[in-house]
Amino acid sequence: MKKQFFTLLCAAALCGCAEQAVKAPVVAAHRGYWKCEGGAQNSISSLTNAAAIKAWGSEFDVWMTADDTLVVNHDAKFHGIVLKDAAYADFKDLPLDNGEKMSTVDQYLQKAKEFPALQLVFEIKTADDLSDTLYEARVVPACVEAVRKYGLLDRTTFIAFSLTACESVARLLPGQPVQYLNGDLSPKEVYEHGINGIDYWYPEFYKHPEWVTEAHELGMSVNCWTVNAREDIQNMIDLGVDQITTNEPTLVQKQLRSF
Ligand code: MG
């Protein structure tokens, strides 16, 4: 029933664009490819594994410590330590799930240079309530400079839940791919903030399938997260998103081979 309803929504969303073939999306490994032997999210090995399976990109999350070190981690805390309030030395020797140490952004980007075909989907993390504007004012330019330093701007997409962080990246790097994550604005509203892409939790596209076409008509890129089930993967493929961010990159690749 859900499938039939969604098919109708897709048809309605694509109405008037029937002559446009839906293009196959590419696959971004969410926090790298870590669902394998010895894997850990957001680790150097997850980056290497994403390259090994020929994913289009590796997504990763970045925080900045109180002493200005950019580190790769999803959660705000690591072993109970609030990363943005801590010194790097406070946690640098503590292990990830697989025993690796947490990667700095320098280490991550240095490794990424070994994989020239791999795109980087660089998430700038900010406080959940977006209250720490001083932090945001520090972290955004530091992230931009880190990618510039390693010569990787040409294969990096920046993503953030913070609208102001996305606006800042777009202002610092005109034309750089930037995708807003929060899902609360239409593509047109995001575009009006100078941001050229969206990366939304996939159920937002069940509510608003027309957003894919709306974004494309504005020249914006469309990514979605975190799409792990076959039916949802297929629905996002059918809808014509540009990228699928997933914990199951090999499953998405398999479905795309039959596209
Ligand atoms: Mg992320």
Side-chain angles (χ1 to χ4, degrees):
M1 187 61 193
K2 182 179 159 196
K3 168 84 177 168
Q4 286 170 341
F5 176 63
F6 184 69
T7 302
L8 283 172
L9 283 175
C10 279
L14 294 169
C15 184
C17 304
E19 70 281 3
Q20 290 180 9
V22 173
K23 196 163 156 274
V26 292
V27 182
H30 182 237
R31 306 178 196 170
Y33 181 42
W34 48 271
K35 288 186 85 174
C36 50
E37 184 74 26
Q41 298 183 3
N42 276 314
S43 61
I44 293 283
S45 65
S46 74
L47 171 70
T48 303
N49 292 337
I53 61 166
K54 295 185 164 49
W56 167 81
S58 185
E59 187 264 357
F60 58 105
D61 305 290
V62 173
W63 289 96
M64 188 181 204
T65 64
D67 56 351
D68 298 338
T69 302
L70 294 172
V71 293
V72 182
N73 197 64
H74 178 267
D75 292 352
K77 290 183 183 177
F78 182 59
H79 291 272
I81 296 168
V82 178
L83 295 173
K84 73 182 181 65
D85 298 335
Y88 175 55
D90 293 344
F91 59 85
K92 73 179 180 59
D93 295 324
L94 300 175
L96 301 176
D97 289 346
N98 67 348
E100 280 181 61
K101 301 292 186 287
M102 187 192 292
S103 170
T104 63
V105 164
D106 277 329
Q107 291 163 342
Y108 197 93
L109 297 181
Q110 185 65 50
K111 189 69 180 176
K113 288 181 73 69
E114 295 176 22
F115 312 120
L118 188 68
Q119 298 286 317
L120 301 173
V121 183
F122 188 127
E123 180 172 350
I124 303 172
K125 298 303 259 185
T126 51
D128 284 345
D129 59 3
L130 303 176
S131 59
D132 197 341
T133 53
L134 286 177
Y135 172 76
E136 191 171 306
R138 287 172 52 231
V139 70
V140 171
C143 290
V144 165
E145 279 317 305
V147 178
R148 194 199 306 273
K149 183 171 83 176
Y150 286 91
L152 292 167
L153 285 171
D154 62 343
R155 52 187 175 104
T156 298
T157 298
F158 288 94
I159 61 176
F161 281 93
S162 161
L163 189 63
T164 51
C166 289
E167 285 178 311
S168 299
V169 176
R171 217 172 16 248
L172 289 166
L173 299 170
Q176 187 75 25
V178 181
Q179 294 173 333
Y180 175 58
L181 288 166
N182 210 34
D184 57 328
L185 299 176
S186 72
K188 185 167 181 293
E189 291 169 311
V190 175
Y191 185 80
E192 285 167 353
H193 285 269
I195 298 158
N196 60 15
I198 53 172
D199 180 2
Y200 284 175
W201 186 43
Y202 69 92
E204 300 298 341
F205 295 117
Y206 287 139
K207 286 190 278 182
H208 295 286
E210 76 282 3
W211 279 0
V212 176
T213 303
E214 181 181 321
H216 286 162
E217 286 177 353
L218 290 162
M220 301 171 73
S221 62
V222 180
N223 193 348
C224 52
W225 53 275
T226 303
V227 195
N228 302 321
R230 284 177 192 279
E231 184 180 345
D232 296 318
I233 292 165
Q234 194 58 52
N235 287 337
M236 293 303 110
I237 293 171
D238 292 345
L239 198 49
V241 300
D242 303 303
Q243 294 125 13
I244 293 178
T245 301
T246 178
N247 292 335
E248 304 285 353
T250 56
L251 174 63
V252 180
Q253 287 172 324
K254 198 169 155 202
Q255 281 185 234
L256 284 168
R257 280 197 286 275
S258 58
F259 178 71

mmCIF file of all heavy atoms in Angstrom, residues 191-227:
data_model
loop_
_atom_site.group_PDB
_atom_site.id
_atom_site.type_symbol
_atom_site.label_atom_id
_atom_site.label_comp_id
_atom_site.label_asym_id
_atom_site.label_seq_id
_atom_site.Cartn_x
_atom_site.Cartn_y
_atom_site.Cartn_z
ATOM 1 N N TYR A 191 17.568 27.605 -1.344
ATOM 2 C CA TYR A 191 18.236 28.316 -2.448
ATOM 3 C C TYR A 191 18.314 29.815 -2.153
ATOM 4 O O TYR A 191 19.323 30.475 -2.449
ATOM 5 C CB TYR A 191 17.453 28.049 -3.728
ATOM 6 C CG TYR A 191 18.056 28.605 -4.985
ATOM 7 C CD1 TYR A 191 19.103 27.949 -5.638
ATOM 8 C CD2 TYR A 191 17.566 29.790 -5.548
ATOM 9 C CE1 TYR A 191 19.651 28.458 -6.802
ATOM 10 C CE2 TYR A 191 18.113 30.295 -6.715
ATOM 11 C CZ TYR A 191 19.148 29.636 -7.336
ATOM 12 O OH TYR A 191 19.691 30.141 -8.481
ATOM 13 N N GLU A 192 17.251 30.338 -1.572
ATOM 14 C CA GLU A 192 17.222 31.774 -1.262
ATOM 15 C C GLU A 192 18.256 32.166 -0.201
ATOM 16 O O GLU A 192 18.569 33.345 -0.027
ATOM 17 C CB GLU A 192 15.808 32.193 -0.840
ATOM 18 C CG GLU A 192 14.869 32.264 -2.050
ATOM 19 C CD GLU A 192 13.394 32.368 -1.676
ATOM 20 O OE1 GLU A 192 13.070 32.258 -0.470
ATOM 21 O OE2 GLU A 192 12.582 32.551 -2.607
ATOM 22 N N HIS A 193 18.770 31.160 0.522
ATOM 23 C CA HIS A 193 19.857 31.419 1.478
ATOM 24 C C HIS A 193 21.230 31.261 0.831
ATOM 25 O O HIS A 193 22.249 31.266 1.520
ATOM 26 C CB HIS A 193 19.734 30.472 2.678
ATOM 27 C CG HIS A 193 18.631 30.855 3.623
ATOM 28 N ND1 HIS A 193 18.821 31.694 4.697
ATOM 29 C CD2 HIS A 193 17.314 30.526 3.632
ATOM 30 C CE1 HIS A 193 17.679 31.867 5.338
ATOM 31 N NE2 HIS A 193 16.742 31.171 4.720
ATOM 32 N N GLY A 194 21.256 31.072 -0.490
ATOM 33 C CA GLY A 194 22.541 30.969 -1.197
ATOM 34 C C GLY A 194 23.168 29.584 -1.148
ATOM 35 O O GLY A 194 24.360 29.430 -1.449
ATOM 36 N N ILE A 195 22.357 28.569 -0.790
ATOM 37 C CA ILE A 195 22.871 27.201 -0.611
ATOM 38 C C ILE A 195 22.412 26.365 -1.806
ATOM 39 O O ILE A 195 21.233 26.420 -2.192
ATOM 40 C CB ILE A 195 22.334 26.618 0.723
ATOM 41 C CG1 ILE A 195 22.859 27.470 1.882
ATOM 42 C CG2 ILE A 195 22.722 25.147 0.882
ATOM 43 C CD1 ILE A 195 22.040 27.356 3.140
ATOM 44 N N ASN A 196 23.342 25.562 -2.372
ATOM 45 C CA ASN A 196 23.033 24.918 -3.655
ATOM 46 C C ASN A 196 22.685 23.439 -3.578
ATOM 47 O O ASN A 196 22.726 22.741 -4.593
ATOM 48 C CB ASN A 196 24.186 25.151 -4.646
ATOM 49 C CG ASN A 196 25.506 24.574 -4.136
ATOM 50 O OD1 ASN A 196 25.527 23.783 -3.197
ATOM 51 N ND2 ASN A 196 26.611 24.979 -4.755
ATOM 52 N N GLY A 197 22.318 22.955 -2.376
ATOM 53 C CA GLY A 197 21.916 21.553 -2.285
ATOM 54 C C GLY A 197 21.145 21.245 -1.009
ATOM 55 O O GLY A 197 21.179 22.022 -0.040
ATOM 56 N N ILE A 198 20.434 20.117 -1.053
ATOM 57 C CA ILE A 198 19.761 19.615 0.151
ATOM 58 C C ILE A 198 20.169 18.160 0.359
ATOM 59 O O ILE A 198 20.456 17.431 -0.600
ATOM 60 C CB ILE A 198 18.217 19.720 0.073
ATOM 61 C CG1 ILE A 198 17.668 19.048 -1.201
ATOM 62 C CG2 ILE A 198 17.768 21.159 0.163
ATOM 63 C CD1 ILE A 198 16.143 18.950 -1.233
ATOM 64 N N ASP A 199 20.210 17.751 1.613
ATOM 65 C CA ASP A 199 20.514 16.372 1.997
ATOM 66 C C ASP A 199 19.578 16.073 3.161
ATOM 67 O O ASP A 199 19.879 16.407 4.306
ATOM 68 C CB ASP A 199 22.000 16.271 2.395
ATOM 69 C CG ASP A 199 22.400 14.863 2.804
ATOM 70 O OD1 ASP A 199 21.561 13.943 2.749
ATOM 71 O OD2 ASP A 199 23.580 14.687 3.183
ATOM 72 N N TYR A 200 18.426 15.481 2.834
ATOM 73 C CA TYR A 200 17.358 15.344 3.828
ATOM 74 C C TYR A 200 17.141 13.897 4.254
ATOM 75 O O TYR A 200 17.375 12.960 3.482
ATOM 76 C CB TYR A 200 16.039 15.891 3.251
ATOM 77 C CG TYR A 200 15.961 17.413 3.214
ATOM 78 C CD1 TYR A 200 14.867 18.036 2.612
ATOM 79 C CD2 TYR A 200 16.947 18.218 3.782
ATOM 80 C CE1 TYR A 200 14.766 19.424 2.577
ATOM 81 C CE2 TYR A 200 16.854 19.602 3.759
ATOM 82 C CZ TYR A 200 15.771 20.200 3.153
ATOM 83 O OH TYR A 200 15.670 21.569 3.123
ATOM 84 N N TRP A 201 16.671 13.746 5.484
ATOM 85 C CA TRP A 201 16.213 12.438 5.967
ATOM 86 C C TRP A 201 15.159 11.951 4.968
ATOM 87 O O TRP A 201 14.216 12.692 4.658
ATOM 88 C CB TRP A 201 15.623 12.603 7.365
ATOM 89 C CG TRP A 201 15.241 11.334 8.042
ATOM 90 C CD1 TRP A 201 15.958 10.174 8.068
ATOM 91 C CD2 TRP A 201 14.057 11.110 8.810
ATOM 92 N NE1 TRP A 201 15.282 9.239 8.800
ATOM 93 C CE2 TRP A 201 14.120 9.778 9.271
ATOM 94 C CE3 TRP A 201 12.956 11.902 9.154
ATOM 95 C CZ2 TRP A 201 13.112 9.215 10.053
ATOM 96 C CZ3 TRP A 201 11.962 11.353 9.938
ATOM 97 C CH2 TRP A 201 12.038 10.025 10.373
ATOM 98 N N TYR A 202 15.332 10.730 4.454
ATOM 99 C CA TYR A 202 14.536 10.302 3.301
ATOM 100 C C TYR A 202 13.021 10.396 3.495
ATOM 101 O O TYR A 202 12.296 10.651 2.514
ATOM 102 C CB TYR A 202 14.955 8.894 2.826
ATOM 103 C CG TYR A 202 14.608 7.788 3.781
ATOM 104 C CD1 TYR A 202 13.398 7.106 3.671
ATOM 105 C CD2 TYR A 202 15.469 7.430 4.816
ATOM 106 C CE1 TYR A 202 13.061 6.103 4.565
ATOM 107 C CE2 TYR A 202 15.140 6.435 5.708
ATOM 108 C CZ TYR A 202 13.931 5.777 5.579
ATOM 109 O OH TYR A 202 13.598 4.797 6.468
ATOM 110 N N PRO A 203 12.470 10.190 4.716
ATOM 111 C CA PRO A 203 11.000 10.343 4.830
ATOM 112 C C PRO A 203 10.486 11.739 4.447
ATOM 113 O O PRO A 203 9.298 11.889 4.118
ATOM 114 C CB PRO A 203 10.732 10.040 6.312
ATOM 115 C CG PRO A 203 11.847 9.132 6.705
ATOM 116 C CD PRO A 203 13.046 9.686 5.975
ATOM 117 N N GLU A 204 11.353 12.740 4.484
ATOM 118 C CA GLU A 204 10.908 14.074 4.037
ATOM 119 C C GLU A 204 10.488 14.034 2.572
ATOM 120 O O GLU A 204 9.601 14.792 2.140
ATOM 121 C CB GLU A 204 12.023 15.122 4.221
ATOM 122 C CG GLU A 204 12.505 15.317 5.650
ATOM 123 C CD GLU A 204 11.416 15.806 6.593
ATOM 124 O OE1 GLU A 204 10.387 16.333 6.127
ATOM 125 O OE2 GLU A 204 11.607 15.642 7.814
ATOM 126 N N PHE A 205 11.121 13.120 1.799
ATOM 127 C CA PHE A 205 10.770 13.018 0.386
ATOM 128 C C PHE A 205 9.510 12.184 0.159
ATOM 129 O O PHE A 205 8.926 12.246 -0.918
ATOM 130 C CB PHE A 205 11.954 12.475 -0.427
ATOM 131 C CG PHE A 205 13.130 13.405 -0.444
ATOM 132 C CD1 PHE A 205 14.338 13.031 0.114
ATOM 133 C CD2 PHE A 205 13.025 14.678 -0.999
ATOM 134 C CE1 PHE A 205 15.423 13.901 0.113
ATOM 135 C CE2 PHE A 205 14.099 15.550 -1.001
ATOM 136 C CZ PHE A 205 15.297 15.156 -0.451
ATOM 137 N N TYR A 206 9.092 11.404 1.167
ATOM 138 C CA TYR A 206 7.772 10.763 1.077
ATOM 139 C C TYR A 206 6.678 11.826 1.247
ATOM 140 O O TYR A 206 5.650 11.793 0.604
ATOM 141 C CB TYR A 206 7.622 9.671 2.136
ATOM 142 C CG TYR A 206 8.421 8.418 1.856
ATOM 143 C CD1 TYR A 206 9.082 7.757 2.885
ATOM 144 C CD2 TYR A 206 8.510 7.888 0.579
ATOM 145 C CE1 TYR A 206 9.826 6.613 2.637
ATOM 146 C CE2 TYR A 206 9.243 6.743 0.322
ATOM 147 C CZ TYR A 206 9.901 6.112 1.347
ATOM 148 O OH TYR A 206 10.630 4.978 1.099
ATOM 149 N N LYS A 207 6.968 12.785 2.140
ATOM 150 C CA LYS A 207 6.003 13.885 2.345
ATOM 151 C C LYS A 207 6.037 14.872 1.188
ATOM 152 O O LYS A 207 5.019 15.452 0.830
ATOM 153 C CB LYS A 207 6.335 14.632 3.663
ATOM 154 C CG LYS A 207 5.955 13.872 4.910
ATOM 155 C CD LYS A 207 6.074 14.748 6.148
ATOM 156 C CE LYS A 207 7.492 14.823 6.653
ATOM 157 N NZ LYS A 207 7.673 15.615 7.867
ATOM 158 N N HIS A 208 7.234 15.083 0.633
ATOM 159 C CA HIS A 208 7.409 16.114 -0.410
ATOM 160 C C HIS A 208 8.202 15.560 -1.593
ATOM 161 O O HIS A 208 9.318 16.019 -1.861
ATOM 162 C CB HIS A 208 8.156 17.326 0.157
ATOM 163 C CG HIS A 208 7.417 18.047 1.221
ATOM 164 N ND1 HIS A 208 6.331 18.848 0.959
ATOM 165 C CD2 HIS A 208 7.616 18.085 2.557
ATOM 166 C CE1 HIS A 208 5.879 19.346 2.099
ATOM 167 N NE2 HIS A 208 6.629 18.903 3.078
ATOM 168 N N PRO A 209 7.644 14.601 -2.332
ATOM 169 C CA PRO A 209 8.400 14.074 -3.481
ATOM 170 C C PRO A 209 8.688 15.147 -4.528
ATOM 171 O O PRO A 209 9.664 15.040 -5.267
ATOM 172 C CB PRO A 209 7.484 12.969 -4.035
ATOM 173 C CG PRO A 209 6.138 13.283 -3.506
ATOM 174 C CD PRO A 209 6.334 13.947 -2.178
ATOM 175 N N GLU A 210 7.851 16.186 -4.545
ATOM 176 C CA GLU A 210 8.051 17.252 -5.542
ATOM 177 C C GLU A 210 9.320 18.063 -5.269
ATOM 178 O O GLU A 210 9.788 18.801 -6.143
ATOM 179 C CB GLU A 210 6.821 18.179 -5.564
ATOM 180 C CG GLU A 210 6.685 19.169 -4.412
ATOM 181 C CD GLU A 210 6.154 18.559 -3.106
ATOM 182 O OE1 GLU A 210 5.936 17.318 -3.059
ATOM 183 O OE2 GLU A 210 5.975 19.318 -2.125
ATOM 184 N N TRP A 211 9.895 17.913 -4.074
ATOM 185 C CA TRP A 211 11.093 18.680 -3.738
ATOM 186 C C TRP A 211 12.290 18.280 -4.603
ATOM 187 O O TRP A 211 13.198 19.096 -4.814
ATOM 188 C CB TRP A 211 11.434 18.518 -2.252
ATOM 189 C CG TRP A 211 10.617 19.411 -1.362
ATOM 190 C CD1 TRP A 211 9.646 20.295 -1.769
ATOM 191 C CD2 TRP A 211 10.703 19.521 0.055
ATOM 192 N NE1 TRP A 211 9.117 20.950 -0.673
ATOM 193 C CE2 TRP A 211 9.753 20.486 0.460
ATOM 194 C CE3 TRP A 211 11.478 18.903 1.036
ATOM 195 C CZ2 TRP A 211 9.573 20.847 1.795
ATOM 196 C CZ3 TRP A 211 11.309 19.247 2.366
ATOM 197 C CH2 TRP A 211 10.361 20.215 2.740
ATOM 198 N N VAL A 212 12.306 17.032 -5.081
ATOM 199 C CA VAL A 212 13.446 16.606 -5.916
ATOM 200 C C VAL A 212 13.448 17.406 -7.222
ATOM 201 O O VAL A 212 14.462 18.000 -7.608
ATOM 202 C CB VAL A 212 13.404 15.087 -6.190
ATOM 203 C CG1 VAL A 212 14.540 14.684 -7.128
ATOM 204 C CG2 VAL A 212 13.484 14.311 -4.880
ATOM 205 N N THR A 213 12.299 17.436 -7.890
ATOM 206 C CA THR A 213 12.192 18.202 -9.140
ATOM 207 C C THR A 213 12.399 19.692 -8.886
ATOM 208 O O THR A 213 13.090 20.377 -9.650
ATOM 209 C CB THR A 213 10.812 17.968 -9.786
ATOM 210 O OG1 THR A 213 10.662 16.564 -9.989
ATOM 211 C CG2 THR A 213 10.695 18.680 -11.121
ATOM 212 N N GLU A 214 11.802 20.181 -7.790
ATOM 213 C CA GLU A 214 11.949 21.617 -7.472
ATOM 214 C C GLU A 214 13.419 21.981 -7.310
ATOM 215 O O GLU A 214 13.886 22.998 -7.838
ATOM 216 C CB GLU A 214 11.176 21.932 -6.181
ATOM 217 C CG GLU A 214 11.234 23.403 -5.779
ATOM 218 C CD GLU A 214 10.487 23.681 -4.474
ATOM 219 O OE1 GLU A 214 9.406 23.097 -4.257
ATOM 220 O OE2 GLU A 214 10.997 24.479 -3.667
ATOM 221 N N ALA A 215 14.157 21.116 -6.601
ATOM 222 C CA ALA A 215 15.588 21.375 -6.395
ATOM 223 C C ALA A 215 16.337 21.327 -7.722
ATOM 224 O O ALA A 215 17.148 22.216 -8.024
ATOM 225 C CB ALA A 215 16.173 20.348 -5.420
ATOM 226 N N HIS A 216 16.057 20.321 -8.517
ATOM 227 C CA HIS A 216 16.776 20.181 -9.794
ATOM 228 C C HIS A 216 16.493 21.362 -10.720
ATOM 229 O O HIS A 216 17.387 21.823 -11.435
ATOM 230 C CB HIS A 216 16.402 18.855 -10.460
ATOM 231 C CG HIS A 216 17.040 17.676 -9.796
ATOM 232 N ND1 HIS A 216 16.612 16.370 -9.952
ATOM 233 C CD2 HIS A 216 18.103 17.610 -8.948
ATOM 234 C CE1 HIS A 216 17.387 15.568 -9.250
ATOM 235 N NE2 HIS A 216 18.274 16.286 -8.622
ATOM 236 N N GLU A 217 15.270 21.843 -10.707
ATOM 237 C CA GLU A 217 14.944 22.999 -11.557
ATOM 238 C C GLU A 217 15.708 24.254 -11.134
ATOM 239 O O GLU A 217 15.915 25.169 -11.926
ATOM 240 C CB GLU A 217 13.437 23.241 -11.561
ATOM 241 C CG GLU A 217 12.715 22.183 -12.400
ATOM 242 C CD GLU A 217 11.201 22.322 -12.387
ATOM 243 O OE1 GLU A 217 10.658 23.156 -11.631
ATOM 244 O OE2 GLU A 217 10.561 21.565 -13.144
ATOM 245 N N LEU A 218 16.130 24.264 -9.854
ATOM 246 C CA LEU A 218 16.920 25.390 -9.355
ATOM 247 C C LEU A 218 18.423 25.129 -9.496
ATOM 248 O O LEU A 218 19.248 25.934 -9.057
ATOM 249 C CB LEU A 218 16.590 25.639 -7.877
ATOM 250 C CG LEU A 218 15.192 26.203 -7.609
ATOM 251 C CD1 LEU A 218 14.788 26.014 -6.150
ATOM 252 C CD2 LEU A 218 15.134 27.677 -7.998
ATOM 253 N N GLY A 219 18.756 23.978 -10.086
ATOM 254 C CA GLY A 219 20.171 23.623 -10.246
ATOM 255 C C GLY A 219 20.818 23.110 -8.971
ATOM 256 O O GLY A 219 22.044 23.123 -8.832
ATOM 257 N N MET A 220 19.988 22.642 -8.024
ATOM 258 C CA MET A 220 20.505 22.176 -6.731
ATOM 259 C C MET A 220 20.703 20.661 -6.748
ATOM 260 O O MET A 220 19.994 19.939 -7.451
ATOM 261 C CB MET A 220 19.510 22.529 -5.615
ATOM 262 C CG MET A 220 19.220 24.009 -5.491
ATOM 263 S SD MET A 220 17.863 24.336 -4.341
ATOM 264 C CE MET A 220 18.634 24.008 -2.751
ATOM 265 N N SER A 221 21.647 20.188 -5.933
ATOM 266 C CA SER A 221 21.836 18.743 -5.778
ATOM 267 C C SER A 221 20.936 18.218 -4.663
ATOM 268 O O SER A 221 20.559 18.952 -3.737
ATOM 269 C CB SER A 221 23.303 18.425 -5.467
ATOM 270 O OG SER A 221 23.679 19.024 -4.235
ATOM 271 N N VAL A 222 20.584 16.920 -4.784
ATOM 272 C CA VAL A 222 19.673 16.294 -3.816
ATOM 273 C C VAL A 222 20.297 14.992 -3.301
ATOM 274 O O VAL A 222 20.536 14.062 -4.062
ATOM 275 C CB VAL A 222 18.308 15.977 -4.453
ATOM 276 C CG1 VAL A 222 17.382 15.315 -3.432
ATOM 277 C CG2 VAL A 222 17.665 17.235 -5.023
ATOM 278 N N ASN A 223 20.544 14.982 -2.009
ATOM 279 C CA ASN A 223 21.071 13.810 -1.325
ATOM 280 C C ASN A 223 20.019 13.395 -0.297
ATOM 281 O O ASN A 223 19.106 14.182 0.036
ATOM 282 C CB ASN A 223 22.400 14.218 -0.646
ATOM 283 C CG ASN A 223 23.228 13.053 -0.154
ATOM 284 O OD1 ASN A 223 22.775 11.908 -0.086
ATOM 285 N ND2 ASN A 223 24.476 13.358 0.192
ATOM 286 N N CYS A 224 20.085 12.171 0.216
ATOM 287 C CA CYS A 224 19.137 11.733 1.249
ATOM 288 C C CYS A 224 19.848 10.776 2.199
ATOM 289 O O CYS A 224 20.784 10.093 1.825
ATOM 290 C CB CYS A 224 17.919 11.064 0.610
ATOM 291 S SG CYS A 224 18.327 9.750 -0.563
ATOM 292 N N TRP A 225 19.402 10.752 3.453
ATOM 293 C CA TRP A 225 20.017 9.898 4.481
ATOM 294 C C TRP A 225 18.934 9.282 5.349
ATOM 295 O O TRP A 225 17.820 9.824 5.355
ATOM 296 C CB TRP A 225 20.990 10.700 5.330
ATOM 297 C CG TRP A 225 20.430 11.955 5.939
ATOM 298 C CD1 TRP A 225 20.330 13.193 5.392
ATOM 299 C CD2 TRP A 225 19.853 12.089 7.260
ATOM 300 N NE1 TRP A 225 19.754 14.081 6.268
ATOM 301 C CE2 TRP A 225 19.447 13.423 7.428
ATOM 302 C CE3 TRP A 225 19.623 11.185 8.328
ATOM 303 C CZ2 TRP A 225 18.835 13.912 8.589
ATOM 304 C CZ3 TRP A 225 19.018 11.663 9.488
ATOM 305 C CH2 TRP A 225 18.630 13.022 9.612
ATOM 306 N N THR A 226 19.258 8.315 6.120
ATOM 307 C CA THR A 226 20.256 7.274 5.881
ATOM 308 C C THR A 226 19.450 6.103 5.380
ATOM 309 O O THR A 226 18.685 5.531 6.169
ATOM 310 C CB THR A 226 21.017 6.932 7.180
ATOM 311 O OG1 THR A 226 21.612 8.126 7.687
ATOM 312 C CG2 THR A 226 22.102 5.876 6.945
ATOM 313 N N VAL A 227 19.555 5.786 4.114
ATOM 314 C CA VAL A 227 18.615 4.914 3.402
ATOM 315 C C VAL A 227 19.211 3.516 3.362
ATOM 316 O O VAL A 227 20.170 3.257 2.625
ATOM 317 C CB VAL A 227 18.358 5.448 1.979
ATOM 318 C CG1 VAL A 227 17.139 4.769 1.386
ATOM 319 C CG2 VAL A 227 18.173 6.963 1.977
#
